[in-house]
Amino acid sequence: MGVMIERLKTNRILDNDEFIGILETDRYDADLYAEADRIRREYYGTDVYIRGLIEFTNHCKNNCYYCGIRAGNENVLRYRLDKETVLDCCDNGYRLGYRTFVLQGGEDSYFKDKNICDMVYEIKSKYTDCAVTLSIGEKEKTSYQEYYRAGADRYLLRQETSNLEHYKMLHPDSMFFEHRKRCLYDLKEIGYQVGAGFMVGSPYQTYAHIVQDLKFLKDLQPDMVGIGPYLTHKDTPFSQFPNGSFHLTLRLIAILRIMFPYALIPATTALGTIAPNGRELGLKAGANVVMPNLSPVTVRKQYELYDNKICTGEEAAECRGCLERRVVSAGYQIVTDIGNVRKKKRNGIL
Ligand code: 5AD
Ligand code: FES
């Protein structure tokens, strides 16, 4: 096995040059994926957790330059789902075996803290064996505390990039890396299972930036790490930039699995969009989560963060069946389980 992988395995962190060495060459790929898969099996066996994603609002006050539903995009048909619709999605999802519901949306001030708490509370009361994950952006700590008290278990907030200069190139002046970081640490302090992550190959990103992201994650110690390739959206200021690299994303999934053996790492929709078997290969590279869509098909197309997003025409049940086959073909199986993080190796007890 490559000396570098051996070093990564023992230290779970590398010097900048060493990291860059792994990122820029495909020489280590087979060893990297084999080691990542060995570790994922040590902690999770062949289990793959599914999360039902409910994209409940595509209104957003922000204007991130990479994102298709940014406030400035006037071509988006905006929608909001009411509580009853969200609960219907959960109902459908529960019957299909989902035990985690992810409420994701843009930063939409129409939904007050109370509305979010009501939704969370109702879902948690109705499905006592399920987890609720929120992914609704940067908020005050007091708001995060209220959601947590209402029953939210997990929170997803990708840092997107950990380099200050790069952050400014991806976001307008109204957004601050420091605030995003503060949010992530607040969430951890409150007790959430926290997910962070970044896009691979976003405009102006360098290998050095990616290394900074890996180091940022090492400090944060998140329970979940979501990464996916950057994908172009035609109605953004970045419409002329190419997609990120599929293989670099796979390599980074493997590196993340080795760095964070216990982590919940999704094979993302973006990965399935950039390559037809992207999610299967993501799983083989160390991912252990998939997050299919539970939103009503009528609004799917309107939550287009990037062009050609997959699964926008399929009903939840179709996605569930499709994924089942894909996961099995990769050598794993979907389990009906709340899918909490496993901090210890499997030893028959866990
Ligand atoms: N390509 C890939 N991923 C994107 N996201 C937003 N826009 C894009 C894009 N154009 C990701 C961001 C965000 C997550 C919900 O989707 O990382 O955190
Ligand atoms: Fe949605 Fe395949 S997972 S159609």
Side-chain angles (χ1 to χ4, degrees):
M1 183 191 308
V3 183
M4 216 83 97
I5 297 171
E6 198 53 54
R7 284 231 334 124
L8 181 59
K9 217 178 93 188
T10 23
N11 298 348
R12 304 238 168 97
I13 190 95
L14 295 172
D15 296 338
N16 291 11
D17 288 350
E18 291 176 312
F19 261 134
I20 290 175
I22 289 194
L23 294 179
E24 69 185 1
T25 173
D26 56 13
R27 197 179 335 143
Y28 306 104
D29 280 11
D31 288 349
L32 205 57
Y33 300 148
E35 182 57 20
D37 188 55
R38 193 190 64 72
I39 294 174
R40 80 90 78 201
R41 282 170 198 262
E42 234 174 58
Y43 281 73
Y44 290 95
T46 52
D47 291 358
V48 170
Y49 298 137
I50 49 174
R51 318 300 197 193
L53 187 62
I54 304 167
E55 297 159 335
F56 71 98
T57 172
N58 70 350
H59 288 258
C60 189
K61 71 169 164 44
N62 293 330
N63 238 324
C64 307
Y65 301 144
Y66 45 83
C67 180
I69 62 166
R70 48 200 291 279
N73 186 359
E74 289 174 3
N75 296 329
V76 180
L77 271 175
R78 304 284 170 176
Y79 73 89
R80 294 182 176 106
L81 303 183
D82 59 21
K83 190 169 72 180
E84 284 61 42
T85 310
V86 169
L87 282 161
D88 284 346
C89 295
C90 296
D91 224 52
N92 195 9
Y94 192 87
R95 275 185 275 114
L96 292 168
Y98 291 91
R99 295 296 177 267
T100 293
F101 302 112
V102 182
L103 301 183
Q104 185 169 84
E107 292 194 12
D108 180 2
S109 54
Y110 172 90
F111 288 94
K112 308 282 177 247
D113 288 349
K114 183 174 176 321
N115 304 122
I116 301 291
C117 288
D118 280 353
M119 265 196 292
V120 171
Y121 185 80
E122 283 213 26
I123 298 172
K124 289 289 290 190
S125 314
K126 198 155 170 215
Y127 308 102
T128 51
D129 56 345
C130 291
V132 170
T133 305
L134 290 176
S135 178
I136 53 175
E138 297 178 31
K139 305 276 177 184
E140 294 302 317
K141 187 173 186 185
T142 48
S143 302
Y144 288 149
Q145 274 162 334
E146 282 184 45
Y147 311 151
Y148 191 74
R149 270 198 297 272
D153 305 274
R154 308 184 188 132
Y155 205 101
L156 303 177
L157 183 70
R158 292 186 182 175
Q159 80 271 22
E160 313 297 358
T161 176
S162 311
N163 178 277
L164 215 72
E165 264 63 59
H166 189 218
Y167 195 89
K168 287 187 192 150
M169 295 169 108
L170 299 184
H171 303 97
D173 289 344
S174 52
M175 295 179 72
F176 301 95
F177 174 66
E178 277 309 316
H179 188 256
R180 211 163 179 84
K181 185 171 171 183
R182 176 78 262 139
C183 287
L184 282 164
Y185 279 90
D186 285 346
L187 289 161
K188 272 208 85 162
E189 219 174 278
I190 293 167
Y192 283 95
Q193 292 180 40
V194 172
F198 56 94
M199 288 174 291
V200 179
S202 57
Y204 309 108
Q205 186 185 54
T206 64
Y207 287 130
H209 294 155
I210 296 178
V211 173
Q212 256 180 290
D213 276 312
L214 295 174
K215 294 196 164 164
F216 175 86
L217 294 171
K218 201 75 210 168
D219 286 335
L220 179 68
Q221 291 285 314
D223 301 285
M224 305 168 278
V225 186
I227 64 165
Y230 162 75
L231 299 170
T232 311
H233 189 289
K234 58 186 178 318
D235 296 325
T236 67
F238 288 162
S239 60
Q240 299 308 310
F241 284 86
N243 288 345
S245 154
F246 174 54
H247 284 102
L248 182 58
T249 309
L250 290 181
R251 212 170 292 151
L252 275 159
I253 289 176
I255 290 172
L256 288 170
R257 172 59 63 206
I258 299 171
M259 286 178 72
F260 306 98
Y262 57 82
L264 296 159
I265 302 176
T268 55
T269 305
L271 198 62
T273 299
I274 200 170
N277 57 347
R279 286 169 299 179
E280 291 87 318
L281 293 178
L283 293 171
K284 283 174 180 262
N288 59 341
V289 172
V290 277
M291 303 176 65
N293 211 305
L294 280 183
S295 311
V297 174
T298 45
V299 300
R300 292 266 182 102
K301 198 92 194 98
Q302 284 142 252
Y303 204 90
E304 211 179 33
L305 306 181
Y306 42 79
D307 294 336
N308 307 315
K309 188 175 162 196
I310 53 167
C311 300
T312 54
E314 279 77 8
E315 288 290 348
E318 296 175 71
C319 272
R320 177 66 179 77
C322 168
L323 263 182
E324 181 80 43
R325 291 189 292 278
R326 288 173 184 272
V327 169
V328 166
S329 80
Y332 310 95
Q333 92 268 344
I334 289 177
V335 290
T336 300
D337 191 302
I338 193 164
N340 280 324
V341 68
R342 289 176 185 265
K343 293 271 161 134
K344 295 199 194 80
K345 290 184 189 180
R346 276 161 80 101
N347 52 11
I349 300 166
L350 251 179

